[in-house]
mmCIF file of all heavy atoms in Angstrom:
data_model
loop_
_atom_site.group_PDB
_atom_site.id
_atom_site.type_symbol
_atom_site.label_atom_id
_atom_site.label_comp_id
_atom_site.label_asym_id
_atom_site.label_seq_id
_atom_site.Cartn_x
_atom_site.Cartn_y
_atom_site.Cartn_z
ATOM 1 N N LEU A 1 -1.203 -4.495 0.929
ATOM 2 C CA LEU A 1 -1.884 -5.771 1.157
ATOM 3 C C LEU A 1 -1.086 -6.934 0.575
ATOM 4 O O LEU A 1 -1.271 -8.083 0.980
ATOM 5 C CB LEU A 1 -3.285 -5.736 0.544
ATOM 6 C CG LEU A 1 -4.239 -4.691 1.134
ATOM 7 C CD1 LEU A 1 -5.564 -4.713 0.383
ATOM 8 C CD2 LEU A 1 -4.455 -4.916 2.617
ATOM 9 N N LEU A 2 -0.241 -6.631 -0.405
ATOM 10 C CA LEU A 2 0.666 -7.613 -0.992
ATOM 11 C C LEU A 2 2.073 -7.026 -0.968
ATOM 12 O O LEU A 2 2.251 -5.802 -0.934
ATOM 13 C CB LEU A 2 0.271 -7.935 -2.444
ATOM 14 C CG LEU A 2 -1.108 -8.555 -2.688
ATOM 15 C CD1 LEU A 2 -1.403 -8.592 -4.189
ATOM 16 C CD2 LEU A 2 -1.208 -9.948 -2.085
ATOM 17 N N ARG A 3 3.067 -7.917 -1.007
ATOM 18 C CA ARG A 3 4.456 -7.474 -1.053
ATOM 19 C C ARG A 3 5.073 -7.848 -2.400
ATOM 20 O O ARG A 3 4.847 -8.952 -2.894
ATOM 21 C CB ARG A 3 5.263 -8.124 0.070
ATOM 22 C CG ARG A 3 4.890 -7.614 1.450
ATOM 23 C CD ARG A 3 5.909 -8.053 2.472
ATOM 24 N NE ARG A 3 5.637 -7.490 3.778
ATOM 25 C CZ ARG A 3 6.477 -7.542 4.802
ATOM 26 N NH1 ARG A 3 7.642 -8.155 4.650
ATOM 27 N NH2 ARG A 3 6.169 -7.002 5.957
ATOM 28 N N PRO A 4 5.845 -6.945 -2.979
ATOM 29 C CA PRO A 4 6.506 -7.276 -4.248
ATOM 30 C C PRO A 4 7.424 -8.485 -4.080
ATOM 31 O O PRO A 4 8.041 -8.661 -3.024
ATOM 32 C CB PRO A 4 7.317 -6.014 -4.562
ATOM 33 C CG PRO A 4 6.729 -4.925 -3.726
ATOM 34 C CD PRO A 4 6.185 -5.589 -2.506
ATOM 35 N N THR A 5 7.509 -9.301 -5.107
ATOM 36 C CA THR A 5 8.469 -10.408 -5.083
ATOM 37 C C THR A 5 9.835 -9.944 -5.568
ATOM 38 O O THR A 5 10.834 -10.653 -5.394
ATOM 39 C CB THR A 5 7.967 -11.577 -5.948
ATOM 40 O OG1 THR A 5 7.584 -11.086 -7.240
ATOM 41 C CG2 THR A 5 6.760 -12.237 -5.301
ATOM 42 N N ALA A 6 9.884 -8.765 -6.157
ATOM 43 C CA ALA A 6 11.160 -8.138 -6.534
ATOM 44 C C ALA A 6 10.934 -6.631 -6.565
ATOM 45 O O ALA A 6 9.869 -6.160 -6.961
ATOM 46 C CB ALA A 6 11.643 -8.630 -7.889
ATOM 47 N N GLY A 7 11.944 -5.881 -6.121
ATOM 48 C CA GLY A 7 11.805 -4.436 -6.099
ATOM 49 C C GLY A 7 11.133 -3.947 -4.828
ATOM 50 O O GLY A 7 10.809 -4.730 -3.929
ATOM 51 N N THR A 8 10.923 -2.661 -4.743
ATOM 52 C CA THR A 8 10.356 -2.043 -3.551
ATOM 53 C C THR A 8 9.336 -0.979 -3.937
ATOM 54 O O THR A 8 9.305 -0.504 -5.070
ATOM 55 C CB THR A 8 11.446 -1.378 -2.701
ATOM 56 O OG1 THR A 8 12.121 -0.378 -3.493
ATOM 57 C CG2 THR A 8 12.459 -2.396 -2.191
ATOM 58 N N ILE A 9 8.529 -0.609 -2.933
ATOM 59 C CA ILE A 9 7.618 0.527 -3.053
ATOM 60 C C ILE A 9 8.040 1.534 -1.994
ATOM 61 O O ILE A 9 8.099 1.203 -0.806
ATOM 62 C CB ILE A 9 6.159 0.101 -2.831
ATOM 63 C CG1 ILE A 9 5.745 -0.914 -3.903
ATOM 64 C CG2 ILE A 9 5.236 1.319 -2.859
ATOM 65 C CD1 ILE A 9 4.389 -1.536 -3.651
ATOM 66 N N ALA A 10 8.368 2.730 -2.411
ATOM 67 C CA ALA A 10 8.853 3.764 -1.493
ATOM 68 C C ALA A 10 7.800 4.849 -1.328
ATOM 69 O O ALA A 10 7.161 5.261 -2.297
ATOM 70 C CB ALA A 10 10.155 4.361 -2.016
ATOM 71 N N TRP A 11 7.640 5.313 -0.093
ATOM 72 C CA TRP A 11 6.715 6.400 0.230
ATOM 73 C C TRP A 11 7.499 7.494 0.939
ATOM 74 O O TRP A 11 8.170 7.248 1.935
ATOM 75 C CB TRP A 11 5.603 5.899 1.144
ATOM 76 C CG TRP A 11 4.644 4.971 0.461
ATOM 77 C CD1 TRP A 11 4.790 3.628 0.269
ATOM 78 C CD2 TRP A 11 3.395 5.326 -0.118
ATOM 79 N NE1 TRP A 11 3.715 3.118 -0.400
ATOM 80 C CE2 TRP A 11 2.834 4.136 -0.649
ATOM 81 C CE3 TRP A 11 2.696 6.525 -0.236
ATOM 82 C CZ2 TRP A 11 1.593 4.121 -1.292
ATOM 83 C CZ3 TRP A 11 1.463 6.502 -0.877
ATOM 84 C CH2 TRP A 11 0.926 5.320 -1.390
ATOM 85 N N ARG A 12 7.429 8.689 0.430
ATOM 86 C CA ARG A 12 8.064 9.844 1.058
ATOM 87 C C ARG A 12 9.541 9.604 1.341
ATOM 88 O O ARG A 12 10.048 9.924 2.405
ATOM 89 C CB ARG A 12 7.359 10.181 2.377
ATOM 90 C CG ARG A 12 5.935 10.654 2.208
ATOM 91 C CD ARG A 12 5.329 10.914 3.567
ATOM 92 N NE ARG A 12 4.033 11.539 3.457
ATOM 93 C CZ ARG A 12 3.269 11.829 4.498
ATOM 94 N NH1 ARG A 12 3.691 11.532 5.711
ATOM 95 N NH2 ARG A 12 2.099 12.396 4.336
ATOM 96 N N GLY A 13 10.186 8.985 0.422
ATOM 97 C CA GLY A 13 11.606 8.754 0.584
ATOM 98 C C GLY A 13 11.971 7.589 1.462
ATOM 99 O O GLY A 13 13.136 7.269 1.652
ATOM 100 N N GLY A 14 10.960 6.875 2.009
ATOM 101 C CA GLY A 14 11.253 5.735 2.868
ATOM 102 C C GLY A 14 10.539 4.506 2.364
ATOM 103 O O GLY A 14 9.801 4.545 1.390
ATOM 104 N N ASN A 15 10.780 3.364 3.000
ATOM 105 C CA ASN A 15 10.130 2.117 2.616
ATOM 106 C C ASN A 15 9.294 1.596 3.773
ATOM 107 O O ASN A 15 9.455 1.999 4.909
ATOM 108 C CB ASN A 15 11.167 1.049 2.250
ATOM 109 C CG ASN A 15 11.917 1.402 0.983
ATOM 110 O OD1 ASN A 15 11.344 1.970 0.065
ATOM 111 N ND2 ASN A 15 13.182 1.067 0.937
ATOM 112 N N GLY A 16 8.412 0.657 3.448
ATOM 113 C CA GLY A 16 7.693 -0.077 4.491
ATOM 114 C C GLY A 16 6.816 0.796 5.339
ATOM 115 O O GLY A 16 5.677 1.083 5.003
ATOM 116 N N GLY A 17 7.324 1.254 6.476
ATOM 117 C CA GLY A 17 6.491 1.946 7.451
ATOM 118 C C GLY A 17 6.224 3.390 7.149
ATOM 119 O O GLY A 17 5.552 4.064 7.934
ATOM 120 N N SER A 18 6.755 3.943 6.050
ATOM 121 C CA SER A 18 6.580 5.365 5.765
ATOM 122 C C SER A 18 5.416 5.618 4.823
ATOM 123 O O SER A 18 5.466 6.467 3.958
ATOM 124 C CB SER A 18 7.877 5.922 5.160
ATOM 125 O OG SER A 18 8.942 5.740 6.043
ATOM 126 N N ARG A 19 4.355 4.882 5.003
ATOM 127 C CA ARG A 19 3.257 4.937 4.035
ATOM 128 C C ARG A 19 2.307 6.107 4.275
ATOM 129 O O ARG A 19 1.578 6.497 3.374
ATOM 130 C CB ARG A 19 2.469 3.619 4.072
ATOM 131 C CG ARG A 19 3.260 2.456 3.517
ATOM 132 C CD ARG A 19 2.460 1.170 3.564
ATOM 133 N NE ARG A 19 3.202 0.085 2.951
ATOM 134 C CZ ARG A 19 3.272 -0.159 1.656
ATOM 135 N NH1 ARG A 19 2.612 0.607 0.832
ATOM 136 N NH2 ARG A 19 3.976 -1.150 1.180
ATOM 137 N N GLY A 20 2.266 6.661 5.455
ATOM 138 C CA GLY A 20 1.314 7.726 5.703
ATOM 139 C C GLY A 20 -0.092 7.181 5.847
ATOM 140 O O GLY A 20 -0.304 5.987 5.958
ATOM 141 N N ARG A 21 -1.088 8.073 5.838
ATOM 142 C CA ARG A 21 -2.472 7.658 6.019
ATOM 143 C C ARG A 21 -3.059 7.214 4.682
ATOM 144 O O ARG A 21 -3.086 7.987 3.736
ATOM 145 C CB ARG A 21 -3.298 8.803 6.597
ATOM 146 C CG ARG A 21 -2.828 9.272 7.976
ATOM 147 C CD ARG A 21 -3.867 10.172 8.637
ATOM 148 N NE ARG A 21 -4.328 11.213 7.747
ATOM 149 C CZ ARG A 21 -3.720 12.386 7.588
ATOM 150 N NH1 ARG A 21 -2.610 12.648 8.252
ATOM 151 N NH2 ARG A 21 -4.203 13.303 6.765
ATOM 152 N N GLN A 22 -3.536 5.983 4.639
ATOM 153 C CA GLN A 22 -4.135 5.437 3.428
ATOM 154 C C GLN A 22 -5.444 4.743 3.770
ATOM 155 O O GLN A 22 -5.669 4.334 4.897
ATOM 156 C CB GLN A 22 -3.224 4.376 2.808
ATOM 157 C CG GLN A 22 -1.901 4.861 2.332
ATOM 158 C CD GLN A 22 -1.139 3.720 1.690
ATOM 159 O OE1 GLN A 22 -1.728 2.812 1.104
ATOM 160 N NE2 GLN A 22 0.154 3.749 1.806
ATOM 161 N N ALA A 23 -6.270 4.614 2.764
ATOM 162 C CA ALA A 23 -7.489 3.812 2.888
ATOM 163 C C ALA A 23 -7.764 3.199 1.518
ATOM 164 O O ALA A 23 -7.287 3.691 0.492
ATOM 165 C CB ALA A 23 -8.674 4.661 3.343
ATOM 166 N N MET A 24 -8.539 2.112 1.519
ATOM 167 C CA MET A 24 -8.889 1.451 0.264
ATOM 168 C C MET A 24 -10.333 1.004 0.311
ATOM 169 O O MET A 24 -10.804 0.491 1.330
ATOM 170 C CB MET A 24 -7.962 0.251 0.014
ATOM 171 C CG MET A 24 -8.150 -0.381 -1.360
ATOM 172 S SD MET A 24 -6.773 -1.496 -1.781
ATOM 173 C CE MET A 24 -7.294 -2.042 -3.414
ATOM 174 N N VAL A 25 -11.029 1.207 -0.801
ATOM 175 C CA VAL A 25 -12.419 0.773 -0.947
ATOM 176 C C VAL A 25 -12.463 -0.215 -2.110
ATOM 177 O O VAL A 25 -11.964 0.071 -3.197
ATOM 178 C CB VAL A 25 -13.363 1.966 -1.213
ATOM 179 C CG1 VAL A 25 -14.776 1.478 -1.531
ATOM 180 C CG2 VAL A 25 -13.390 2.890 0.006
ATOM 181 N N PHE A 26 -13.077 -1.359 -1.858
ATOM 182 C CA PHE A 26 -13.094 -2.436 -2.834
ATOM 183 C C PHE A 26 -14.400 -2.450 -3.627
ATOM 184 O O PHE A 26 -15.389 -1.815 -3.264
ATOM 185 C CB PHE A 26 -12.910 -3.781 -2.126
ATOM 186 C CG PHE A 26 -11.599 -3.897 -1.393
ATOM 187 C CD1 PHE A 26 -11.504 -3.526 -0.067
ATOM 188 C CD2 PHE A 26 -10.463 -4.341 -2.045
ATOM 189 C CE1 PHE A 26 -10.298 -3.617 0.618
ATOM 190 C CE2 PHE A 26 -9.251 -4.431 -1.379
ATOM 191 C CZ PHE A 26 -9.166 -4.062 -0.045
ATOM 192 N N GLN A 27 -14.378 -3.222 -4.700
ATOM 193 C CA GLN A 27 -15.560 -3.367 -5.548
ATOM 194 C C GLN A 27 -16.743 -3.903 -4.754
ATOM 195 O O GLN A 27 -17.879 -3.458 -4.927
ATOM 196 C CB GLN A 27 -15.224 -4.306 -6.707
ATOM 197 C CG GLN A 27 -16.353 -4.518 -7.687
ATOM 198 C CD GLN A 27 -15.915 -5.391 -8.853
ATOM 199 O OE1 GLN A 27 -14.740 -5.444 -9.204
ATOM 200 N NE2 GLN A 27 -16.848 -6.078 -9.455
ATOM 201 N N ARG A 28 -16.483 -4.856 -3.879
ATOM 202 C CA ARG A 28 -17.523 -5.395 -2.993
ATOM 203 C C ARG A 28 -17.093 -5.149 -1.554
ATOM 204 O O ARG A 28 -16.389 -5.963 -0.950
ATOM 205 C CB ARG A 28 -17.726 -6.893 -3.246
ATOM 206 C CG ARG A 28 -18.272 -7.213 -4.623
ATOM 207 C CD ARG A 28 -18.471 -8.706 -4.806
ATOM 208 N NE ARG A 28 -19.051 -9.029 -6.097
ATOM 209 C CZ ARG A 28 -18.343 -9.165 -7.228
ATOM 210 N NH1 ARG A 28 -17.026 -9.003 -7.193
ATOM 211 N NH2 ARG A 28 -18.936 -9.457 -8.364
ATOM 212 N N PRO A 29 -17.492 -4.027 -0.970
ATOM 213 C CA PRO A 29 -17.016 -3.683 0.369
ATOM 214 C C PRO A 29 -17.550 -4.638 1.436
ATOM 215 O O PRO A 29 -18.662 -5.153 1.328
ATOM 216 C CB PRO A 29 -17.566 -2.267 0.592
ATOM 217 C CG PRO A 29 -18.760 -2.184 -0.297
ATOM 218 C CD PRO A 29 -18.425 -3.021 -1.505
#
């Protein structure tokens, strides 16, 4: 939902589109 201003987040050896299936539940859905 946010992008790092420095550095990266890697999923399964890849970046960006290699995130797999995710979901998020918030405090106030």
